[in-house]
Amino acid sequence: MSRSAGRHFLQIPGPSAVPDRILRAIAGQVIDHRGPSFADVGTRALEGMKTIFKTEAGRVFIYPASGTGAWEAALVNTMSEGDRVLMYETGHFATLWMKMARRLGLRPEFIEGDWRGGADADRIADALRAHTERTIKAVCVVHNETSTGSVSPKAEVRAAIDAAGHPALLMVDTISGLASIDFRFDEWGVDVAVSGSQKGLMLPPGISFNAVSDKAMAASRGAGLRRSYWDWADMAGPNDSGYFPYTPATNMLYGLNEAIAMLHEEGLENVFARHQRHGAATRAAVRAWGLEVLCRRQGQESGVLTAVVVPEGHSADAFRATALEHYDISLGNGLGKVSDRVFRIGHLGDFNDLMLIGTLSGVEMALGLAGVPHAKGGFDAALEVLGQPLRQPTAAE
Ligand code: PLP
């Protein structure tokens, strides 16, 4: 392959490009993970992640695994063979989590969705009420469905569980939501949150997280599913003094501590506002092109990515290949049911206005080269949105 000059545009919805500051932190020398210097690294990471999940009461576990591992940890630590879990089909990732639950011996009830919006809290409330024997042990929702670009309303889901007076745990996959879209573990009464390093946290792939409430910790003591590597109980003891029961991903923890510092320097609320703005500018471009945004529920569109439906008779994958070949930009592919029907523009992580403008110009030029019918002017529509100033940091931050 010949060399492409300049930076590649990695505009998939995670992994997101890693800032130089984090790359430098990761490049630090490995230290003894059982030695005295490590305690500070581990404690900063574990305590720092509590501020990102917005929890004081809960605790955080860090696994050297991708997000899928943390999904499994959430289930095997809290559930027993044959337990019922209520899950919501927001898209491909919700479907994969449901299949995992099934493989682990659980009985998921899957509320069917159309992949065009987040979870509907009323349907969750109805499903909980319909189960008069109240055997559902957990309600599991995906915060930001990365396959569709839709956000589920967490506070409403919590309210639906409470209104039904149901004791189920609330589990939330915020693998692509955390550190990009507001997430409030304590305030929303989340019991287990699952996240990963490679999206809003701006790290390479490789570590993942569970944030866990007291209620979920208590449930784990009676949970019968077999577990060893994922066991929260094995983690909790060493974690209390900043250590891990096995070899941690030391250099990723250096990077994580840098990422946490960077997120607080910018201010979490500003990070969220920046993502919202980039989502709005991208959707303005898509609509001006005359193309369709996959998420059609107003207010649930993602600030992390935008999934764009290509017109009938055109291939989203062929378009992406053109974009990569001519403009050195990687766009996300359509997954599962929307394979080859959509492409996804990632606008997450360490990302600013001019990078978005470059991204949208690349998309607009590639639409032309690939022969995908569209109107010109998407780029100008995005500029209208980006012409508005970003919110300034609040005193609290
Ligand atoms: N859940 C969501 C919402 C995701 O976006 C992803 C990955 O993109 C996963 C789960 C799976 O995570 P991983 O690929 O890190 O195992």
Side-chain angles (χ1 to χ4, degrees):
M1 270 174 75
S2 64
R3 184 184 109 81
S4 295
R7 277 215 176 193
H8 173 69
F9 271 61
L10 182 65
Q11 300 316 137
I12 58 174
S16 60
V18 181
D20 293 343
R21 219 174 120 178
I22 291 182
L23 289 175
R24 280 195 294 272
I26 290 173
Q29 184 55 268
V30 186
I31 59 170
D32 174 5
H33 59 286
R34 306 202 196 277
S37 311
F38 188 85
D40 179 56
V41 176
T43 303
R44 279 200 293 138
L46 291 161
E47 289 301 311
M49 279 309 290
K50 288 172 64 174
T51 66
I52 305 297
F53 280 109
K54 295 192 181 170
T55 181
E56 285 178 11
R59 61 181 307 154
V60 171
F61 297 108
I62 305 177
Y63 295 104
S66 81
T68 303
W71 261 353
E72 182 160 337
L75 296 175
V76 296
N77 275 288
T78 52
M79 297 290 129
S80 300
E81 174 103 33
D83 276 352
R84 287 180 184 278
V85 288
L86 184 63
M87 303 178 111
Y88 199 107
E89 185 194 6
T90 44
H92 183 67
F93 289 104
T95 306
L96 289 180
W97 202 12
M98 181 276 291
K99 287 183 178 164
M100 172 187 275
R102 211 183 258 155
R103 285 169 71 178
L104 291 171
L106 305 179
R107 285 184 295 160
E109 180 175 328
F110 205 34
I111 302 178
E112 225 175 84
D114 62 3
W115 291 41
R116 307 222 53 174
D120 181 337
D122 291 340
R123 293 184 64 200
I124 290 176
D126 291 347
L128 288 175
R129 275 195 220 98
H131 271 275
T132 45
E133 68 279 29
R134 296 158 69 81
T135 50
I136 289 174
K137 290 286 170 52
V139 174
C140 303
V141 288
V142 175
H143 180 201
N144 181 73
E145 176 54 76
T146 325
S147 61
T148 66
S150 303
V151 179
S152 289
K154 249 59 52 236
E156 282 88 330
V157 173
R158 175 80 257 170
I161 298 172
D162 292 346
H166 205 287
L169 297 173
L170 173 58
M171 296 200 195
V172 180
D173 165 347
T174 183
I175 287 176
S176 63
L178 193 74
S180 296
I181 302 174
D182 195 10
F183 187 81
R184 307 179 196 176
F185 186 89
D186 285 356
E187 193 181 318
W188 294 340
V190 178
D191 292 299
V192 186
V194 179
S195 197
S197 55
Q198 72 272 27
K199 315 255 185 189
L201 288 172
M202 309 176 286
L203 293 162
I207 55 173
S208 54
F209 310 89
N210 280 172
V212 180
S213 70
D214 284 346
K215 185 174 162 187
M217 279 308 284
S220 76
R221 289 189 268 280
L225 280 186
R226 287 183 180 217
R227 56 188 184 269
S228 170
Y229 185 74
W230 306 115
D231 204 325
W232 291 338
D234 288 356
M235 280 281 219
N239 278 183
D240 284 343
S241 47
Y243 293 93
F244 290 80
Y246 42 70
T247 314
T250 306
N251 293 54
M252 287 290 282
L253 298 180
Y254 298 158
L256 179 62
N257 287 333
E258 195 68 21
I260 294 167
M262 288 169 73
L263 288 164
H264 287 307
E265 282 166 28
E266 183 175 352
L268 279 180
E269 305 311 315
N270 293 330
V271 172
F272 304 147
R274 174 166 58 77
H275 282 79
Q276 287 305 333
R277 198 168 115 92
H278 289 160
T282 304
R283 291 190 297 279
V286 174
R287 290 181 180 128
W289 289 326
L291 299 178
E292 201 185 342
V293 173
L294 183 63
C295 175
R296 60 181 173 198
R297 233 135 292 145
Q298 226 196 343
Q300 296 188 340
E301 302 102 334
S302 173
V304 168
L305 76 139
T306 302
V308 184
V309 183
V310 295
E312 273 309 320
H314 292 268
S315 159
D317 290 343
F319 158 72
R320 289 188 316 105
T322 301
L324 179 61
E325 183 185 344
H326 293 274
Y327 301 110
D328 200 21
I329 180 171
S330 291
L331 297 163
N333 63 331
L335 294 167
K337 278 186 192 170
V338 292
S339 169
D340 204 28
R341 298 295 314 124
V342 307
F343 64 90
R344 295 172 299 150
I345 305 173
H347 32 76
L348 68 158
D350 188 42
F351 195 61
N352 65 23
D353 290 0
L354 294 189
M355 293 158 91
L356 181 63
I357 287 172
T359 299
L360 295 175
S361 325
V363 172
E364 186 161 325
M365 291 187 290
L367 286 169
L369 273 189
V372 177
H374 69 288
K376 293 285 171 215
F379 173 72
D380 292 325
L383 287 187
E384 287 286 315
V385 178
L386 297 176
Q388 311 300 318
L390 245 182
R391 196 173 76 69
Q392 292 303 305
T394 60
E397 293 186 340

